Amino acid sequence: MPFLTETDYEVQIRNWIRQIIIQRKEDVQHQAELAAQAEMESYLRQRYNVAAIFSAAGADRNALIIMYMVDIAIYHLHANSAGDVIPELRIIRYNAAKDWLKAVAKGDISPDLPEKPNEEEGGEGTGNQVIEFGSNPKYSERY
């Protein structure tokens, strides 16, 4: 089941413009949505449970994820139809989406998203421990 619905687009683009961009081919829109989701997952995967984020439906979906995913998908649709004449608004919104994703990946922004499950649950604390090997510097004892 796709993450985005037709009504998600209505906030950011008129339906007749979207129909022109996708050339009435729903598979083109679906491919753009998959590309947008993959792009978002690449930024979110390190800290958040992307399977839970993108399997949510209806009102359980995060509004920011919806907005930025629509921005990215529309940008890809414009690039597909006429790459040299992408409206400046779409470029600005796409760059804003990428900047937000980079800030989330760095930890500068903490959206209300499901955290990645802790991999060491149930263990004795051996999951993410760092073990360092080394020794003191070698000294020469010759005089």
Side-chain angles (χ1 to χ4, degrees):
M1 182 173 154
F3 181 74
L4 294 178
T5 64
E6 295 297 316
T7 57
D8 294 333
Y9 286 92
E10 293 174 358
V11 175
Q12 297 177 33
I13 191 169
R14 287 182 170 63
N15 191 40
W16 64 272
I17 295 173
R18 185 175 56 82
Q19 289 298 328
I20 290 170
I21 295 169
I22 66 171
Q23 301 165 0
R24 302 196 188 284
K25 297 177 185 172
E26 296 299 322
D27 60 326
V28 172
Q29 178 178 327
H30 182 67
Q31 290 299 320
E33 289 173 4
L34 290 177
Q37 181 174 335
E39 188 171 344
M40 293 185 82
E41 285 179 359
S42 68
Y43 287 99
L44 299 173
R45 183 174 291 115
Q46 193 66 25
R47 295 181 54 212
Y48 297 101
N49 184 348
V50 292
I53 292 169
F54 291 105
S55 65
D60 294 335
R61 300 175 302 158
N62 184 286
L64 281 174
I65 295 292
I66 294 169
M67 181 182 75
Y68 288 129
M69 187 169 170
V70 167
D71 284 333
I72 294 169
I74 292 173
Y75 175 84
H76 289 309
L77 287 170
H78 274 290
N80 178 41
S81 64
D84 56 337
V85 288
I86 299 173
E88 188 172 345
L89 172 66
R90 294 298 156 205
I91 295 170
I92 291 169
R93 290 191 66 106
Y94 175 72
N95 288 333
K98 282 183 55 176
D99 291 342
W100 183 81
L101 288 166
K102 288 176 186 176
V104 169
K106 275 197 225 176
D108 295 340
I109 298 174
S110 295
D112 185 22
L113 297 173
E115 299 269 335
K116 192 173 186 179
N118 193 354
E119 295 168 356
E120 65 181 49
E121 285 180 9
E124 290 295 319
T126 59
N128 291 332
Q129 289 184 349
V130 176
I131 300 173
E132 294 184 15
F133 293 96
S135 63
N136 291 331
K138 183 178 178 182
Y139 292 106
S140 175
E141 304 228 357
R142 294 188 186 177
Y143 294 101

